[in-house]
Amino acid sequence: LGHDIHFHDKKIALLEAGPRKEYDRLPESYSNRVSSISPGSATLLSSFGAWDHVCSLRFKPFRRMQVWDACSEAIIIFEKDDLDDMGYIVENDVIMSALTKQLDAVADRVEVFYGSRAVGYTWPLPSHSCDTSPWVQIELADGRRLQTKLLIGADGHNSVVRKEAEIQNIEHRYDQSAVVATLHLSEATDNNVAWQRFLPTGPIALLPLSDTASSLVWSTSHEHASELLAMDEEGFVDSINSAFWSNVNHSDFIDAAGAMFRSAISLLKPSGTAVRQLPPSVAKVDPESRAMFPLGMGHATEYVQHRVALIGDAAHRVHPLAGQGVNLGFGDIACLAHHLSAAAFNGQDLGSLKHLLKFETERQRHNVSLIAAIDVLKRLYSTSLAPLVLLRTWGLQATNALPPLKVRFL
Amino acid sequence: TQLSLFRLTVKRLLSTSHSSVDSKEMKKFQLLAHKWWDEQGEYSALHSMNDIRVPFIRDTLLNMSSNYHLGIPLSGIKILDVGCGGGLLSEPLGRLGASVTGIDPLEDNIRTADRHKSFDPVLAERIQYKSSSLEEIVEESMETFDVIVASEVVEHVADLEMFIKCCSQVLKPEGSLFITTINKTQLSYILGIVVAEKIMGIVPEGTHEWEKFVSPEELERLLESHGFSVKTVNGMLYNPLTGSWSWMESTSINYAMHAVKSGVQGQSSPTESLSEMEAEQRSATAGTGM
């Protein structure tokens, strides 16, 4: 927003609980928190100059995504026809550093309060009885007071803004935690494919960081996650490799049914069967890079109220299996920025519900189906019961063969 | 009875010759003076009218000037908002950078407007409100303003001709006048009064009197005879289901008009169009050329 021309004479304050994050020099090792950035999100970041900084730091584009089931031979492959990049794997710290640089560029309009925390919010009364200030009042931990026409809550899935605004949140904790780590591959490769295998305990994904390194995101039960963290490095690496390579969960029945379906498809649609590639094997894990965090799903019933808007995880939280969490957030930002910019150009009060509701409708329409789909996928793949495995096997094979469905997924 | 009739006519004559403000009209608005800023209240249609009238004013002015800054499109422009009410239109114009003076004969309206802008330090500086009629400020504001906005006002004034004359006096040469109002047609009676006021309650009952509506042809005639050149006329349509306004071809219900005061000092020669002047010049030079 600070870079938007229509916000030329507006003032924006950003409250950030963490410290300032900027890289003067890239650290050698990779951070274990990475995100899969979609091309749409990259476009947003480049619209205000942040993507250039990301490119000058480090990132890894990937061209292909292979997703397959541990319980059957079903496989689905995503790739763009014109060999364009499907997405980019970027460390979160790199993104933060790029954003910090661009924030500095508009320091006259955007003031960032690092290490700050809001301790109290005072909401305005309904608009027409203005004896008290009609704006939102915020009290900071250090005693300072701010007032604003529009408060944007981007404070994560435990959003305080959302709770204080008394917006209901539908939430559900998954019995899963995600284990992340930075891995080193056995041999150098092009490494431009993202791999994900659905195990009965949860999906395991390998996201490329460089020709020799990949990032691990393994969603599994809490107990297993703790075990993985406690294991020695060799045991950890072995678990990963066997997760990707072992066929222990296959059953003959499913394999036969799957093979039959596959030959049926190849009769109808010759190009519809996929060529299975083999994922790389892992040799080593970065010593300090193992970590875990619990997973859940959440969706706020409202994204906006008078003078308040929620974006990102504060509004919706999803399972990492689709790599979409941060992209949904970026989508929220692009949409809200667009509506606020138009409102500013019309001289409107930025906190007015009129355009905030337009943002909410647009994003809820887009988000709800995706969030529901991710949740359904998570549940569907959390089992090794034959009927469901069959269903998802055939479903995956069919989806792989039918371009329209596949495109929709992307 | 003859005496009372005489007294009545004298009273009427006296009242119209002094002011374009109609005291009956003022009473109507008095009751609702505090309701201006309730976006879902009695004035909701005026709030949503901002969605088309602000871009109309903004884009017309941007098109007319050659140097502008998209960030503050109306900066440096002095606007007079006549009949500003609670400041519904003054505020967005102020946010876009203009210096706005809002006048309204009703003190309560000005009070509401002042209080509402007071919370915003930027607007508090850019907008000045005054409880006054248009005539009362003419003396001290001759040729002061770049733009006059009279939105949903001319259907409430008592003497339209005087109103327009005063507009011309306080407007700089080549300045712009924006008017939005209601046409005087059968359709506007049915939709504007019967449906809007009596049936759907979009506008409080009794707000409008069909007799005082002005057709765009009549308004154009009046404007041109006072030194204005009408540049644009657009029909407006209100959709009560969505609560939003849009532009339409036909001006049979609501319409907006943009007129420019002629740059020629003093003389008001309404019938003289540019081509006529050119023809005169050509014949003059033709004469000497021989």
Side-chain angles (χ1 to χ4, degrees):
Chain A
L1 282 176
H3 285 262
D4 186 311
I5 182 90
H6 298 304
F7 270 67
H8 176 84
D9 62 345
K10 309 278 187 262
K11 297 184 82 190
I12 305 172
L14 172 59
L15 301 179
E16 166 62 54
R20 188 185 155 89
K21 270 193 191 148
E22 199 180 2
Y23 281 143
D24 296 316
R25 250 182 25 200
L26 267 184
E28 279 277 325
S29 58
Y30 286 90
S31 151
N32 60 5
R33 295 306 302 271
V34 304
S35 298
S36 164
I37 304 293
S38 69
S41 301
T43 307
L44 169 68
L45 288 172
S46 69
S47 73
F48 55 92
W51 189 246
D52 289 332
H53 296 306
V54 171
C55 295
S56 69
L57 288 170
R58 84 184 148 209
F59 74 112
K60 186 82 174 81
F62 62 94
R63 299 251 166 80
R64 211 163 175 266
M65 190 153 81
Q66 178 169 302
V67 179
W68 71 112
D69 198 333
C71 299
S72 78
E73 293 287 319
I75 186 173
I76 184 168
I77 303 207
F78 295 99
E79 70 190 328
K80 283 224 172 123
D81 293 319
D82 37 0
L83 290 185
D84 251 351
D85 296 330
M86 258 190 72
Y88 311 92
I89 305 297
V90 189
E91 293 155 89
N92 292 356
D93 284 343
V94 167
I95 301 179
M96 293 290 286
S97 176
L99 294 175
T100 307
K101 262 227 185 68
Q102 285 309 93
L103 277 174
D104 285 343
V106 285
D108 54 339
R109 267 174 255 167
V110 184
E111 196 182 340
V112 190
F113 296 70
Y114 287 104
S116 67
R117 212 168 38 92
V119 292
Y121 296 100
T122 314
W123 306 108
L125 300 161
S127 47
H128 48 283
S129 61
C130 7
D131 278 328
T132 55
S133 166
W135 296 11
V136 181
Q137 313 281 328
I138 304 160
E139 192 182 332
L140 298 182
D142 60 8
R144 278 186 289 190
R145 300 188 129 260
L146 300 170
Q147 63 169 359
T148 179
K149 290 183 203 156
L150 175 63
L151 176 67
I152 300 179
D155 45 349
H157 64 262
N158 279 326
S159 168
V160 174
V161 174
R162 186 186 67 223
K163 293 194 186 124
E164 292 280 322
E166 293 178 6
I167 295 179
Q168 292 269 33
N169 192 37
I170 303 168
E171 54 188 36
H172 179 82
R173 258 192 278 252
Y174 291 133
D175 276 326
Q176 287 184 346
S177 285
V179 174
V180 293
T182 310
L183 306 172
H184 294 277
L185 307 175
S186 318
E187 32 181 69
T189 129
D190 262 340
N191 208 12
N192 53 13
V193 182
W195 311 92
Q196 176 153 289
R197 193 178 197 200
F198 281 102
L199 307 171
T201 47
I204 178 171
L206 216 55
L207 305 170
L209 288 171
S210 74
D211 288 348
T212 54
S214 287
S215 185
L216 172 78
V217 183
W218 190 348
S219 312
T220 181
S221 69
H222 298 305
E223 304 80 38
H224 189 215
S226 314
E227 276 172 31
L228 284 170
L229 247 54
M231 268 183 221
D232 62 359
E233 291 184 17
E234 267 196 52
F236 186 66
V237 169
D238 283 341
S239 308
I240 297 173
N241 282 326
S242 94
F244 273 110
W245 292 77
S246 122
N247 281 338
V248 74
N249 284 300
H250 283 214
S251 81
D252 291 331
F253 168 63
I254 299 287
D255 281 350
M260 183 189 73
F261 197 69
R262 210 171 36 250
S263 26
I265 290 181
S266 54
L267 277 176
L268 296 167
K269 220 182 173 306
S271 63
T273 48
V275 173
R276 175 193 290 271
Q277 276 191 357
L278 297 171
S281 70
V282 178
K284 195 155 84 60
V285 57
D286 248 352
E288 304 292 306
S289 70
R290 275 188 270 176
M292 76 184 242
F293 52 92
L295 299 176
M297 150 293 186
H299 194 234
T301 49
E302 301 172 299
Y303 288 2
V304 299
Q305 258 183 22
H306 183 55
R307 300 205 184 285
V308 181
L310 297 175
I311 56 173
D313 275 19
H316 42 71
R317 180 189 184 200
V318 295
H319 196 281
L321 66 81
Q324 290 308 308
V326 79
N327 294 314
L328 281 179
F330 282 131
D332 290 345
I333 293 172
C335 180
L336 184 58
H338 165 79
H339 285 288
L340 286 180
S341 178
F345 192 45
N346 281 347
Q348 283 169 13
D349 182 339
L350 292 175
S352 160
L353 260 184
K354 207 158 43 161
H355 51 268
L356 290 181
L357 282 174
K358 285 193 208 153
F359 153 74
E360 181 186 71
T361 309
E362 214 178 292
R363 286 314 286 174
Q364 281 194 336
R365 226 177 263 163
H366 177 274
N367 292 349
V368 169
S369 44
L370 188 55
I371 294 170
I374 295 177
D375 190 63
V376 164
L377 276 179
K378 186 254 169 218
R379 292 171 198 279
L380 184 60
Y381 276 94
S382 293
T383 170
S384 41
L385 289 177
L388 287 167
V389 174
L390 204 56
L391 180 70
R392 71 195 194 207
T393 301
W394 285 346
L396 202 59
Q397 286 173 321
T399 310
N400 194 37
L402 298 170
L405 264 177
K406 245 167 79 166
V407 169
R408 222 174 161 274
F409 250 109
L410 280 172
Chain B
T1 44
Q2 267 211 338
L3 200 60
S4 52
L5 245 175
F6 176 68
R7 242 186 264 146
L8 204 64
T9 16
V10 169
K11 215 172 163 196
R12 265 248 210 102
L13 275 173
L14 283 177
S15 61
T16 50
S17 65
H18 277 262
S19 154
S20 61
V21 174
D22 187 326
S23 54
K24 260 192 336 186
E25 299 277 356
M26 277 181 58
K27 273 213 196 69
K28 279 188 255 178
F29 284 100
Q30 177 78 47
L31 296 166
L32 295 169
H34 55 291
K35 292 285 186 85
W36 285 101
W37 287 99
D38 180 1
E39 283 182 33
Q40 268 78 48
E42 279 86 347
Y43 288 115
S44 63
L46 279 181
H47 276 277
S48 60
M49 199 195 277
N50 276 346
D51 292 341
I52 59 168
R53 59 184 173 173
V54 173
F56 176 54
I57 297 171
R58 172 197 77 209
D59 293 339
T60 308
L61 294 175
L62 279 179
N63 279 334
M64 285 182 11
S65 101
S66 47
N67 57 328
Y68 53 83
H69 189 297
L70 263 184
I72 11 168
L74 300 184
S75 99
I77 299 185
K78 294 181 74 178
I79 303 185
L80 175 68
D81 183 3
V82 186
C84 62
L88 261 57
L89 183 51
S90 301
E91 288 206 2
L93 293 176
R95 279 199 199 98
L96 290 178
S99 304
V100 184
T101 304
I103 61 170
D104 196 281
L106 205 53
E107 261 193 55
D108 282 347
N109 283 350
I110 296 295
R111 226 188 319 244
T112 305
D114 259 329
R115 198 163 60 195
H116 194 267
K117 76 152 194 196
S118 67
F119 295 111
D120 184 335
V122 170
L123 285 184
E125 277 230 31
R126 285 206 192 130
I127 307 178
Q128 302 304 321
Y129 291 116
K130 220 158 139 192
S131 169
S132 146
S133 72
L134 184 54
E135 298 76 27
E136 284 161 18
I137 62 158
V138 164
E139 295 247 348
E140 66 207 27
S141 328
M142 295 292 284
E143 302 208 336
T144 314
F145 296 101
D146 301 296
V147 176
I148 298 184
V149 174
S151 180
E152 304 304 297
V153 162
V154 300
E155 69 265 25
H156 296 286
V157 303
D159 184 344
L160 185 54
E161 184 143 10
M162 163 124 88
F163 182 85
I164 292 178
K165 196 154 91 175
C166 294
C167 283
S168 173
Q169 285 172 308
V170 301
L171 198 55
K172 288 187 192 158
E174 319 243 350
S176 282
L177 172 61
F178 291 92
I179 295 180
T180 78
T181 186
I182 311 180
N183 197 346
K184 190 174 181 182
T185 61
Q186 275 197 331
L187 197 55
S188 75
Y189 181 74
I190 298 171
L191 292 179
I193 300 200
V194 177
V195 175
E197 289 186 13
K198 302 191 196 296
I199 299 182
M200 293 197 70
I202 299 168
V203 176
E205 195 170 338
T207 302
H208 290 127
E209 274 174 48
W210 189 78
E211 280 303 317
K212 302 191 64 183
F213 288 174
V214 183
S215 76
E217 294 78 27
E218 170 73 10
L219 187 57
E220 187 162 347
R221 185 189 68 75
L222 276 172
L223 285 171
E224 305 247 324
S225 69
H226 285 274
F228 283 97
S229 155
V230 174
K231 300 285 179 194
T232 322
V233 186
N234 277 328
M236 293 160 55
L237 180 65
Y238 182 67
N239 181 340
L241 296 171
T242 59
S244 62
W245 289 88
S246 54
W247 296 111
M248 88 170 158
E249 276 270 3
S250 152
T251 55
S252 42
I253 320 170
N254 294 75
Y255 63 94
M257 192 176 277
H258 170 232
V260 173
K261 174 176 166 180
S262 69
V264 184
Q265 282 293 353
Q267 207 66 2
S268 56
S269 37
T271 50
E272 199 135 277
S273 65
L274 206 57
S275 50
E276 270 184 341
M277 276 171 66
E278 275 182 352
E280 271 186 25
Q281 279 183 1
R282 245 180 278 130
S283 54
T285 50
T288 52
M290 288 290 283

